[in-house]
Amino acid sequence: KVGVSIEDDMRRAELIRSLIGPDNKLMMDANQIWDVKEAVVSTQSTGVAMIDWSYLSDVISEEEILAMLREGQEEKKDRIKVLESEGYPAYITSVGWLGYSDDKVKRLTAEKLSEGWTAFKMKVGVSIEDDMRRAELIRSLIGPDNKLMMDANQIWDVKEAVVSTQSTGELS
């Protein structure tokens, strides 16, 4: 990232990791959180210019996000109070990596459920049949009220993602 040293990024990553643990991931990528935080602090075009737009530009422009940040300043204190009292939603990824045996998935899922996790993410994309089998297994373990998300790590193109997620839709 331009204007930010690798040491700063490492310190930020360590802070995030110490807060949420090595296997957990925020709903929003940690780098995006820091970028948005910096943009909110400055609420200037230079702050928004720091954001990597490669994954966001198809849904929102720099101008739109800057306008939203400026408008959002009014409710900022209220939102901070909610975050302080309720926390920030996070999910666990360690239960559903590709290549894990069913026994390992069962053990890890039971551990994470006992720790209070309510949102789980599994990796998918090798075969829809195996993805469905693994999704059914994890869903049976976490129950209908917890969240199950799927991540293909850019293995699928848009058409494949739509078809595959329609197949697994009832499970996620």
Side-chain angles (χ1 to χ4, degrees), residues 16-17 19-30 33 83 86-95 112-113 115-121 142 145-149:
I16 295 286
R17 187 170 303 284
L19 293 172
I20 64 171
D23 293 331
N24 311 324
K25 188 166 182 175
L26 296 172
M27 295 292 191
M28 187 176 192
D29 183 88
I33 289 171
L83 286 173
E86 298 177 19
Y88 193 86
Y91 59 86
I92 190 80
T93 60
S94 64
V95 302
K112 299 309 173 186
L113 279 167
E115 292 172 8
W117 288 95
T118 60
F120 302 82
K121 185 169 83 169
I142 67 172
D145 296 328
N146 290 317
K147 291 181 181 162
L148 176 59
M149 298 168 277

Side-chain angles (χ1 to χ4, degrees), residues 122-139 147-152 156 160-172:
M122 61 178 281
K123 299 294 183 175
V124 295
V126 175
S127 82
I128 192 65
E129 295 80 17
D130 192 52
D131 294 341
M132 289 289 292
R133 185 189 60 73
R134 292 172 54 251
E136 288 171 354
L137 172 62
I138 295 171
R139 174 54 69 203
K147 291 181 181 162
L148 176 59
M149 298 168 277
M150 299 175 190
D151 181 356
W156 297 328
E160 289 172 307
V162 168
V163 169
S164 297
T165 55
Q166 286 174 340
S167 300
T168 60
E170 292 180 12
L171 298 170
S172 60

Side-chain angles (χ1 to χ4, degrees), residues 2-41:
V2 176
V4 177
S5 70
I6 189 69
E7 292 82 14
D8 286 341
D9 275 345
M10 294 297 287
R11 279 192 292 275
R12 289 175 180 159
E14 281 305 310
L15 174 62
I16 295 286
R17 187 170 303 284
S18 71
L19 293 172
I20 64 171
D23 293 331
N24 311 324
K25 188 166 182 175
L26 296 172
M27 295 292 191
M28 187 176 192
D29 183 88
N31 287 328
Q32 290 175 326
I33 289 171
W34 282 106
D35 291 342
V36 170
K37 176 189 172 286
E38 291 173 43
V40 169
V41 168

